[in-house]
Amino acid sequence: MLELRIAILVLKDSSVLKECSHFNLEGLVYPLSVSQRLSTLLGCKVLRKSPTPRHPDELEPIENTSSPFVTRMASLPRGGYQVASKNFSQSDLDVDCSGRIYMITGANSGIGKCVAREIAQRGGTVHMLCRNPQSAETAKNEISEATNNQNVYVHILDMSQPRSVFKFAKEFQTQNEKLDVLYFLYANPSETHLGSHWKTTLSTPSRYLNSYLLVTDETEETGNFYHWYRSGPWFQVNNAGCMVNSREVDEDGLERNFATNTLGPHILTKLLIPALKKSDKPRILMVSSGGMLVQKLNAEDLQFEKMAPFDGTMAYSQNKRQQVIMMECLAREHPDIFLAAMHPGWADTPAVRSAMPDFYQRMKDRLRTAEQGADTAVWLAISDTALKHPSGLFFQDRSPVPTHLPLAWTKTTKDQDEQFITQLNELLNKFKE
């Protein structure tokens, strides 16, 4: 049985310490500002106190704890995949993808590249949507050569620019009679390709950096390990997509995280619905993150104008909640299309290496391979078994998992969800040519 014991000691400067108190949850120490009600979600006994920040070496031994949150965290490294994969049916992936058309964002690196390669290997036609022309062309050539499949195409597109998304979608539909699968997988954006249209209006470091995370993973396969991971919040380990720690807006007033992670996918999805409905098994899939578990949809501030100070980590996690709700709403609106979101686990990808070098150095021997992280993504894209599940669910290791922790305060009403979709549609119409 996989067990995980976690302790977090948040070290703050004196000014922040004066602003918030702390909860001690059987070894988990959080600033109250991170999640005031996290204690009820974890199922841990709450001890109210104001600890003096100490070096992790001075922490006392951690008591065993068991909760839904702990179970989810324990399943994310490679050991979790090794346990889950014992129940996988490999025949699920014995699929001929010939004649089927797949569109994949972020397909030039990491998990996205693995998904593109697996589909091309099975004869599928792959359209890679990427921002970086050089890395995209290199990835395309590598995939075509490895799979002996020449039906791999590159499209250069910045998802944060609605007008470019409109133009691409229109051109794609004139050149292709259908689309079978639309897949949103993001690579970590390069700062050298942001474009001059972005303007930083507020800059402040993440409030939740400088944290220490101790992970103890005990399984038959991996044995025991104890490592401290410094700089980075506990819930932001899979850094897929766009996450910046300053509020950046373009000439149209769109905030960059929101434009890239939420609005762009919404616009592209809505525009390609007609092409998807020409497929006999249409699918829309989204790679999300566990960061959504600590976020409730805030339909009153989609672009973080009221977030003071601005926090890129919180913005990213809010985007991930927005993506999941978007999938759920689209599933209700289009019952003839299969929609799903998924978590790939903690995988060894270029994005993780570049965005979180400290985490990578301490966890590199325990991270999933990019192929293991891509397994469920491929399964959702090609397997008929996946289609036996209801549309709109969230998956991890080929199984549906909850999108909220038990007793979570993160749940929203149907009216709140519809308010969110209405705002996205209003923005879509604003940029319609």
Side-chain angles (χ1 to χ4, degrees):
M1 179 178 180
L2 195 63
E3 296 181 350
L4 179 68
R5 284 170 274 170
I6 303 174
I8 297 180
L9 177 62
V10 181
L11 305 179
K12 299 288 183 179
D13 59 43
S14 58
S15 62
V16 178
L17 280 173
K18 292 178 181 177
E19 294 177 2
C20 65
S21 56
H22 293 69
F23 279 121
N24 184 329
L25 311 179
E26 292 188 8
L28 292 101
V29 183
Y30 295 93
L32 186 57
S33 58
V34 173
S35 178
Q36 187 171 6
R37 283 165 283 189
L38 191 58
S39 57
T40 61
L41 308 185
L42 296 178
C44 299
K45 182 179 180 181
V46 177
L47 302 175
R48 184 71 176 273
K49 70 176 188 177
S50 298
T52 301
R54 297 173 292 167
H55 188 275
D57 291 343
E58 301 176 11
L59 286 180
E60 298 176 357
I62 305 167
E63 298 296 328
N64 284 328
T65 184
S66 177
S67 72
F69 169 78
V70 166
T71 301
R72 290 283 288 273
M73 292 288 287
S75 65
L76 297 178
R78 186 176 61 216
Y81 174 83
Q82 291 171 335
V83 172
S85 63
K86 293 178 180 179
N87 297 317
F88 291 173
S89 173
Q90 292 307 312
S91 63
D92 285 355
L93 301 184
D94 293 338
V95 178
D96 182 359
C97 298
S98 300
R100 307 192 74 80
I101 301 175
Y102 300 78
M103 183 181 293
I104 306 172
T105 68
N108 59 326
S109 177
I111 292 173
K113 184 178 178 181
C114 288
V115 173
R117 184 174 60 245
E118 290 294 326
I119 290 172
Q121 185 70 54
R122 292 165 172 80
T125 297
V126 178
H127 292 268
M128 303 168 56
L129 272 58
C130 309
R131 274 181 285 217
N132 187 317
Q134 291 74 31
S135 64
E137 194 64 29
T138 298
K140 171 203 166 185
N141 292 336
E142 290 175 355
I143 292 171
S144 292
E145 182 177 350
T147 63
N148 197 28
N149 185 341
Q150 300 305 310
N151 293 320
V152 181
Y153 305 96
V154 167
H155 307 272
I156 303 305
L157 177 65
D158 187 340
M159 292 293 293
S160 71
Q161 300 182 38
R163 292 181 180 85
S164 297
V165 176
F166 265 98
K167 180 180 178 182
F168 165 76
K170 183 178 180 180
E171 291 176 351
F172 180 84
Q173 291 191 88
T174 60
Q175 299 170 5
N176 298 270
E177 63 180 27
K178 69 165 184 173
L179 177 63
D180 293 284
V181 178
L182 174 59
Y183 219 138
F184 293 102
L185 298 107
Y186 290 105
N188 196 51
S190 169
E191 294 298 323
T192 61
H193 293 89
L194 299 184
S196 59
H197 61 289
W198 290 105
K199 178 182 177 182
T200 301
T201 58
L202 177 64
S203 180
T204 181
S206 173
R207 298 172 65 188
Y208 308 117
L209 296 182
N210 298 322
S211 303
Y212 283 91
L213 170 59
L214 175 64
V215 181
T216 304
D217 186 1
E218 299 178 297
T219 69
E220 291 182 1
E221 292 82 5
T222 63
N224 300 339
F225 69 85
Y226 296 81
H227 278 285
W228 284 102
Y229 156 48
R230 186 178 185 278
S231 78
W234 56 268
F235 53 83
Q236 190 51 58
V237 174
N238 177 40
N239 189 29
C242 171
M243 183 181 75
V244 291
N245 284 317
S246 59
R247 189 173 187 274
E248 299 176 357
V249 297
D250 65 7
E251 63 270 16
D252 294 306
L254 292 177
E255 190 275 327
R256 183 183 164 210
N257 291 282
F258 170 77
T260 303
N261 297 327
T262 303
L263 182 60
H266 176 77
I267 292 176
L268 185 60
T269 297
K270 296 290 282 189
L271 295 178
L272 293 179
I273 288 291
L276 284 159
K277 291 198 172 184
K278 293 178 182 178
S279 170
D280 60 335
K281 298 177 182 178
R283 313 184 199 204
I284 303 172
L285 308 169
M286 176 79 71
V287 172
S288 189
S289 165
M292 66 163 185
L293 293 173
V294 296
Q295 286 287 306
K296 179 179 181 179
L297 174 69
N298 183 3
E300 303 296 330
D301 190 26
L302 294 183
Q303 300 196 58
F304 318 113
E305 297 171 279
K306 301 176 184 178
M307 182 184 286
F310 180 82
D311 187 294
T313 299
M314 293 295 102
Y316 178 89
S317 297
Q318 177 69 200
N319 290 159
K320 292 301 165 181
R321 174 60 69 186
Q322 292 169 358
Q323 290 175 348
V324 170
I325 291 179
M326 184 167 66
M327 292 291 101
E328 293 171 346
C329 291
L330 285 169
R332 292 194 293 267
E333 183 181 353
H334 301 283
D336 50 345
I337 299 178
F338 178 78
L339 292 100
M342 61 84 65
H343 194 315
W346 297 348
D348 183 353
T349 66
V352 169
R353 296 188 185 198
S354 62
M356 296 182 296
D358 289 345
F359 172 78
Y360 172 75
Q361 286 301 319
R362 288 162 174 77
M363 292 288 290
K364 60 183 179 181
D365 295 331
R366 300 164 186 88
L367 294 175
R368 300 180 181 206
T369 64
E371 289 75 16
Q372 290 171 340
D375 177 84
T376 296
V378 174
W379 180 79
L380 286 169
I382 70 175
S383 171
D384 286 338
T385 303
L387 299 179
K388 296 178 181 179
H389 291 279
S391 183
L393 299 182
F394 187 81
F395 288 80
Q396 181 180 314
D397 291 330
R398 302 194 190 183
S399 295
V401 294
T403 56
H404 301 274
L405 295 170
L407 306 178
W409 56 275
T410 54
K411 296 178 181 179
T412 50
T413 65
K414 184 177 180 180
D415 288 342
Q416 290 172 320
D417 294 348
E418 292 301 327
Q419 178 188 356
F420 161 61
I421 296 298
T422 297
Q423 292 182 72
L424 292 182
N425 288 332
E426 289 173 353
L427 286 170
L428 181 153
N429 291 328
K430 173 182 176 181
F431 293 101
K432 185 182 298 183
E433 296 181 355

